[in-house]
Amino acid sequence: MSVKTEHGGAGFEQEAISERDFSIKDENFRETKRKAAGSAFQIKPASSKQEIVLTTPEAVDDFLKNFLWRVGMSRTLDRFETEWYTSALHRLARNLLVTPAAGGFCYIPDAVTHRQLLEAELKTVREETAELRKEVLAAGASLRKMQKERDYHRLQFQRVFVSKHKLMEDVKTLKIHLKSYEPVLKKMDDKYQSALRNKILLTLDEDRIKNRYWHPTLHRRDKGATRGARAKTAKTHGDTEGPATDANQDQVAVLKGSGFFSRLRSITAHKFPVNGITLHPKHLILASVSDDCSWSLWRLPTSPRKEGELLQTGHGHLEWLSSCSFHPDGSKLATTSGDATVKLWDVALGNSLLTLSGHTHPVWGCSFRFCGNFLASCSTDRTAKLWDLNSQRCRLTMRHHTCTVNTVRFVPSSNTLLTCSADKTLALWDVRMGTCTTIFQGHQYPCNHAALGPPGGLMASCDTHGFIYLWDIRKPETALKTVDTGPAGASQVAFNPSGEMLAVASKDCLVRLVDVESSSVSTLSGHKDSVQSVIFDHKGEKVLSSGSDGLINMWM
């Protein structure tokens, strides 16, 4: 039997079904529907990265298809499959789901769609899990590396800590030992200094005796003095005593009377201040250095009618010149400069033979050793240096003074060097051993210059307030005598050949003469500016001075 029905305006014929079969199948359908209704049909919200997942019992669509197939409703089955899989999926794609709460139709996806959604979600979870696994493995490796470094540094810290405590214990032990050794070291140092001092004094005494008894010139002078003494004793008793005819006695008489000195000649040597002068060891030739970066050689006049003759001029320093010194044989001249160098010049040709560079600040003075192979220099860098002229290098650097070293002088015929510093002290050095053997303390103001007297151990020094100190090299504890020539500062001092008179270059444009024995002071005026340098000639008959006015004055 066929039945004609309408569905959406479109009718179709259905095969006849027995009433009994339909009732049975309808009852089974209602039972299945109740079970399906009792199940949880709901839409679970997915995570932000996932789509909406619809859960439904897997047997619903299979039961409907099996039911339609068993009852022989093939056309209904086809229509069901078309509407179930096509229309439902299309509505899902267009998000046209209607929830039961709104009174509409609720789409229930099948197992295939659910599986696809779950597979997509599982794929995403697996990818995230793989990335997370990589990050965890990298973090674990980094953690293990940091743990190893921590263990290494902890071990090193423990070792350093133990070593530190051990070193602290050793330092404490050494300090205790050092305190116990200090008295012994002090005693040994005193013995050493005493031995060095005795050795130097012995050397000086030997040199003095040798120069007194074996030097040819002095030997002839002693013989002449002996003949004069014999002639004097041969006179008749009671005769009137005549004037002394001994040359030395005449010289002493002239030098002791300041009135005997008068200015013989003035030489305009430089346009700028003349900082230093020195006399040739054999001839009456004077060398001068100036702020004009040059040095000059002058033949001194022997009478008031003659003029000083310029023999040679040298240029080569980059800054002002501070002092000069002749080689013992007179063939070379050493000059010091503000460019921190010492130059050696050929006197005859006027060209530079050697440049000694080693000081870091301006060089103030220089002095040749008696043999001529070594040259000493002093500088504002607080050091004195000993130069070997054969090897052309610095053999010794002497560091003791805490301020500028203003003067350096070799003790005649010895290996002892004298230095004078602005730290108010003087020092004697043994250049063979490179040690400071004696310190002279007593000046209250910075020392400007120091000079050595004739053999016998007498030494003089001057300071910035015009005080002159006389010292005995063998007794450095205290000065023999102090003479005040101030208040103007004293730039330089010089002994006459007999050691009985001092010439002092003063900042108040005067040259002062000091009698060593009586400490009397007389003055010579003739400079227009401060006097920088002063010396005596070979016989002690003339006084030579230079000043900031560019003049060289000769007093006789």
Side-chain angles (χ1 to χ4, degrees), residues 62-170:
D62 294 338
F63 171 78
L64 293 176
K65 289 188 290 183
N66 292 333
F67 171 77
L68 295 175
W69 180 75
R70 281 197 301 271
V71 297
M73 301 173 67
S74 58
R75 287 183 296 175
T76 303
L77 178 60
D78 295 336
R79 185 72 178 215
F80 171 78
E81 289 178 350
T82 302
E83 292 180 357
W84 185 270
Y85 290 105
T86 303
S87 300
L89 290 176
H90 181 66
R91 287 194 303 272
L92 180 62
R94 295 176 57 186
N95 295 325
L96 298 177
L97 297 178
V98 182
T99 60
F105 175 76
C106 180
Y107 170 71
I108 303 176
D110 60 347
V112 175
T113 305
H114 194 193
R115 179 181 177 182
Q116 290 177 354
L117 295 175
L118 291 177
E119 286 180 350
E121 180 183 3
L122 181 61
K123 183 178 179 181
T124 303
V125 172
R126 286 178 177 174
E127 291 177 354
E128 293 178 354
T129 304
E131 293 179 359
L132 184 60
R133 182 181 291 108
K134 292 180 181 179
E135 294 178 359
V136 170
L137 292 176
S142 178
L143 178 62
R144 288 191 294 272
K145 183 178 179 180
M146 293 178 65
Q147 288 176 347
K148 290 181 180 179
E149 292 180 355
R150 179 202 63 189
D151 296 337
Y152 172 77
H153 289 296
R154 183 178 294 172
L155 181 61
Q156 293 297 325
F157 173 77
Q158 292 177 354
R159 292 178 180 176
V160 171
F161 187 76
V162 174
S163 300
K164 176 185 174 182
H165 279 278
K166 185 177 179 180
L167 289 175
M168 290 177 65
E169 295 296 331
D170 293 341

Side-chain angles (χ1 to χ4, degrees), residues 270 276-281 285-290 294-298 312-315 317 321 323-336 342-356 366-368 372 375 389:
H270 298 270
I277 55 176
T278 186
L279 197 62
H280 193 278
I285 296 175
L286 186 73
S288 63
V289 293
S290 172
S294 69
W295 58 269
S296 300
L297 289 182
W298 302 88
Q312 189 65 265
T313 300
H315 297 82
H317 283 286
L321 276 67
S323 69
C324 55
S325 179
F326 272 106
H327 192 275
D329 62 8
S331 62
K332 303 176 185 65
L333 180 71
T335 57
T336 60
V342 181
K343 284 184 177 291
L344 194 64
W345 306 83
D346 188 333
V347 172
L349 301 177
N351 57 350
S352 176
L353 301 175
L354 178 63
T355 300
L356 303 174
C366 61
S367 176
F368 281 96
L375 177 69
L389 300 182

Side-chain angles (χ1 to χ4, degrees), residues 406-419:
N406 293 323
T407 307
V408 60
R409 286 288 182 272
F410 269 104
V411 177
S413 304
S414 72
N415 295 306
T416 304
L417 187 69
L418 169 67
T419 57

Side-chain angles (χ1 to χ4, degrees), residues 273-284:
V274 181
N275 296 321
I277 55 176
T278 186
L279 197 62
H280 193 278
K282 299 178 182 179
H283 305 289
L284 199 61

